[in-house]
Amino acid sequence: MNPKVRALIDESLSLPYGKSRKDLAGRAVREADVLGDNDSRFGARYEFVRAAVFSGFGEEAFAPFTWCLAAFEEDPSRYDPWRVVWMYKWMAVRLYKHASISRQQIADTLDKFENFFRDLGLSQRPVLMQRIRNEIHTGGDVGNVESWFEKFLDEPRDQYSDCAVCEQIFSVWVRFQLGDTKRAFYDGFQLLGTERKCIEVPTFTYSMLLTEAIKSDDKRAARLAERGYPLARENPLFSTAIATYLEWSAANGSADVVSRMWSEHFRWFLDT
């Protein structure tokens, strides 16, 4: 990789996830394009995709991901398949959020996603996760969700599966969507009682449980809001979680609290 591009990437990696990290990775992409070095162009785009996704700017990552996928398909021996696999997973989970992508395009993309994993001999767990997410978020067939969820639970893990704690919180979310509320609450609070964490967990765990607690008027909602909000307040990735805390505070907190939260985070909703 070109030293100038490497230096920009290293500088971006020194920053926490957020707009500054994403923008610096974008500078690395532009520098690599000027140089015309495909290894640098691929490496910079990978870091941009990762920074954009985990900073709450997922839609900006579609174009650079598409470039990386095309480069890999043209010369698979040149690029790291591990990076392509993870980018594919990060982008597949965001398909339903992209207003310009139709349900048929989502289905076609997920079929390609499945074939990509199968051709590499990888577990289908990530593919099944994305099929379930997109089916739920686009108002699809509950029967498909139930069938895919059973297959997901039976499918063996491998090194390219999502982290175990992400899969656990995914299972909790699916059980909520399927109406298995008692089991979902139990599993969710059990997960909160462990030290297991990743970039998204337990932050999303708290907001997910709070969302469901609000629906069922569960008395544990106040504790979830109190403990969950501080985890979400630093990263735009968690803008949906912040929306949940705003909803809770508007119904149960003071006007001053809501005003402070809105002042701190309203820019996230405009940017992401």
Side-chain angles (χ1 to χ4, degrees):
M1 180 179 290
N2 178 272
K4 290 184 179 179
V5 177
R6 180 74 262 174
L8 286 169
I9 289 175
D10 287 344
E11 186 179 353
S12 75
L13 293 175
S14 71
L15 301 174
Y17 285 111
K19 188 174 185 299
S20 295
R21 175 165 174 169
K22 185 264 299 183
D23 289 346
L24 196 53
R27 284 180 55 195
V29 171
R30 292 190 292 275
E31 181 67 26
D33 285 345
V34 170
L35 295 168
D37 170 19
N38 278 351
D39 289 336
S40 296
R41 297 174 79 188
F42 183 93
R45 279 171 169 79
Y46 169 78
E47 294 300 344
F48 178 84
V49 169
R50 182 165 66 155
V53 165
F54 290 109
S55 300
F57 299 89
E59 287 200 1
E60 295 185 32
F62 276 97
F65 162 67
T66 300
W67 188 98
C68 289
L69 181 60
F72 177 81
E73 290 175 341
E74 182 177 339
D75 189 359
S77 64
R78 182 171 184 173
Y79 303 105
D80 182 357
W82 184 91
R83 290 188 166 192
V84 180
V85 165
W86 279 97
M87 284 190 287
Y88 224 139
K89 289 163 61 174
W90 295 333
M91 301 318 300
V93 74
R94 285 159 176 81
L95 289 171
Y96 72 90
K97 298 180 181 180
H98 208 298
S100 64
I101 300 178
S102 68
R103 290 195 64 178
Q104 186 58 53
Q105 288 174 312
I106 290 175
D108 292 344
T109 300
L110 291 176
D111 286 344
K112 293 178 182 177
F113 184 40
E114 179 177 330
N115 292 334
F116 184 83
F117 270 63
R118 181 173 290 111
D119 290 345
L120 291 174
L122 304 180
S123 170
Q124 289 291 306
R125 286 177 77 95
V127 177
L128 291 164
M129 288 176 72
Q130 306 323 328
R131 287 197 182 281
I132 291 168
R133 281 194 178 106
N134 281 284
E135 194 77 4
I136 290 173
H137 284 297
T138 57
D141 190 332
V142 173
N144 285 341
V145 174
E146 292 173 336
S147 175
W148 289 331
F149 189 48
E150 289 181 8
K151 291 179 181 178
F152 164 78
L153 294 174
D154 290 338
E155 180 78 4
R157 285 176 51 82
D158 64 13
Q159 62 180 327
Y160 292 101
S161 299
D162 284 34
C163 74
V165 71
C166 279
E167 289 193 341
Q168 285 181 283
I169 195 58
F170 169 76
S171 295
V172 171
W173 177 73
V174 175
R175 293 187 193 282
F176 274 128
Q177 306 310 307
L178 293 176
D180 191 1
T181 304
K182 184 176 180 179
R183 171 70 183 275
F185 269 125
Y186 177 81
D187 289 350
F189 278 102
Q190 285 291 107
L191 185 55
L192 287 181
T194 71
E195 296 297 321
R196 305 182 73 180
K197 62 179 64 178
C198 67
I199 292 173
E200 299 181 343
V201 176
T203 307
F204 275 136
T205 313
Y206 276 105
S207 63
M208 179 195 304
L209 293 175
L210 176 59
T211 296
E212 299 300 327
I214 292 172
K215 292 178 183 177
S216 58
D217 198 25
D218 192 299
K219 295 179 180 179
R220 294 171 291 186
R223 182 179 59 167
L224 291 166
E226 179 182 357
R227 296 183 179 181
Y229 173 65
L231 299 177
R233 66 185 303 179
E234 301 296 333
N235 188 342
L237 172 65
F238 303 119
S239 58
T240 55
I242 293 299
T244 301
Y245 296 123
L246 276 167
E247 177 186 356
W248 163 257
S249 298
N252 299 277
S254 70
D256 288 343
V257 170
V258 174
S259 178
R260 285 198 301 271
M261 291 177 67
W262 178 250
S263 296
E264 183 174 348
H265 300 293
F266 82 95
R267 179 60 62 183
W268 289 7
F269 300 107
L270 296 177
D271 291 340
T272 62

